[in-house]
Amino acid sequence: MKDAKGNAKIGCGVNNAQTASTDTVPGSPHDSILRSIQLALVSARECGQKHALTTAVNGDEEKLALLCAVGNDMYDLFVQLAPGLGPADAVALGSSGDGAVSDGLARPSKGRRPLSVDDGIGKQESTFIHLVELGYPVRLSTLVACLANQSESECFYSAMSEVEHDLQQMLDDPDTYLYDTASNMNYPQGQLRFPADRLYGRKEDVDALLSTYKRVVHSGVNPGTRHLVQISGFSGTGKTSLVDQIRPELLADRAIMVTCKFSAQGLEQPTALLFQAFDTYCKDLVQNTDPVLFHEIKTALMTTFGSLLALLVGRMPSLRYIVEDIESFIVEGGNKTEEINLIAYYFVIFVRTISGPRHPLVVFLDDLQWADQGCLDLIKTLLSDPGVTSTLFVACYRDEEVTPAHPLAELLGAVAMDEVVPMSSISLSNLEKDDINELLSDALSISPRFTRPLAGALYSKTRGNPMFVTQLLMSLSEDGSLSYSARGRRWQWDIQAIRAKSVADNAVDLIVSMMKTHGDDVQRMLRTAALLGWTFDISILQRLLAPTSSTTVVANLIDIAVEGGLFVKNGSSLHFAHDAIWQGAFSLTPISQREQSHLDLGRRLLSTISTDDDLGTCLSVIVGQYNKGASLVTNRDEALRLAGLNLKAGEKAFAATSFRQASIYLLQASVLLQPNAWDTHYDLCLRIFTTCGEVQLTQGNSDGALLSAAQV
């Protein structure tokens, strides 16, 4: 229905011409859309006010009827006001042409639900064209569709005031609430969106962590102190993400962030991982730090250490980038035990030197439950040292892995009891339903009002575990329960099918089922990568897959895994996006086949070696894989060759003070020797047992040292 001037009216017989006129104000399509929304908003307000008493008396059923009818009439309005569309075209598209209801009360027309679309929320049939196809933004089209398609089981709007609120947001901030400009710039259409800078349901935790940092570094009371924050929670609750959330603000404050991630696989000694983390700091200092800060730290290191800095170069090679002539420094000789004690002592001095009010230090110890006793002792020394100032230690660990008898629990208890450093705790639990709804709204680029039913379904299946939620969402996308409509330019889902869907009890089982939907080549790559460990070098993976796949094919497979959220690329290396994803990929290889699979990888990788330098690069991986299948090695020559490789790896680990790993390599080498090996390979046996005895002695294992000596 139109008034005397030909302006459209929406529901309730309200004359909107008094508010605005679309044929008197020229402008862009954007302006025209905003004017149409303004008309709809005014009409919605007047309709809500007019029928507030009626719905209060007649209850929810009448209210739902009113809202659905307003959605239908709103569709008519927008069709009639679509730029370049005449009245005849509007009628042809399904608009009634008048938008009025005879008795003045908006009611749903029998058999007419113009926005029950075939690719919208609910997946119902339609004879009407989407508003998005008439030039309207996706979010406006979705609002009108959801308003018109409400039911008692899926109610998006419960009051006209909610409709008014959403329309007003579109008018006040169209870039955010109407066009979603920021999201559309960063993500292609049809891709689930998981913004790296968003963390859901953790605002209080983020604020607490930042507040602690500021108190440690900038407080007027006891400034420049140190502090330990322990962050606990079950796997997948977002402990690492919480720390990553504050990283930009820390860096903006000139803070130095050192990240050490420990691993359950034990491929490297945890203490070596700690040194590697500070080695990465040295490299970043050269590449990413302003010249003034670099000069300050370089001068401080030279003043404090002098030539003794060479003691740390073997553990942190990137120190050479800071002090160029460090290789010419001379270190006085001594026995290995004394050298180790010196290294630990000067490492603490090194941390003292690089920390301070002008460049505060944040040491992030991730998955600390996997650290061994030696590493924990060194960490305790750092925590207890009063010379380490302006330093925040953040220790993340899994609740389910740390029992009261765990070494980490004992360390934290001792630190608290001795009061060697101030401590605070953050415990992360699963997300609430509203938090999941916010996550879904961002992922699907749909107003949170319309994702509530889906959030409820996912919450009931995941109990709010953030990683489980994201993995389940990706699984629904892969199996078609959740899909992107190219026509409607928005995500659609079948809520009843999702509610009835049977899913895995945990994220790992779900991940495994998703991996099995990939092609054979992708699954083979995932199995191979998982056997290598949580993190691995791209060139190693390419060597192992090369016999059946070209470098280009492997690169494409890696891209698939990265885009699918399975791998994260970091320079020349890859790592699984989460431990649970690695665990899922590892389970693709049956337990009965794992030993043989490791042995095959070791043999295959060794067959690609052509030079000594090449061997040095791949040695730890070759030996690590070979050793896991060593019990299957029956050929005597192969066993002796593997013993020699273990000796090389043991000597290399010993030189790098990775004593635990060196001991493992050397003991494995001794086991591989044949009974008559002393007669046939004397030099090899002598080196194995002599070095093994020295390693045992350095670790304080005098009995083990005597046993090795007895073999010589």
Side-chain angles (χ1 to χ4, degrees), residues 143-166:
L143 182 153
V144 177
C146 290
L147 180 61
N149 280 299
Q150 294 195 116
S151 65
E152 291 183 5
S153 63
E154 200 166 24
C155 185
F156 302 107
Y157 289 98
S158 60
M160 285 300 300
S161 59
E162 295 176 351
V163 180
E164 296 167 21
H165 174 270
D166 288 0

Side-chain angles (χ1 to χ4, degrees), residues 67-86:
L67 291 167
C68 291
V70 168
N72 280 287
D73 293 341
M74 197 177 288
Y75 175 83
D76 288 350
L77 172 71
F78 285 117
V79 166
Q80 293 173 57
L81 297 180
L85 203 64

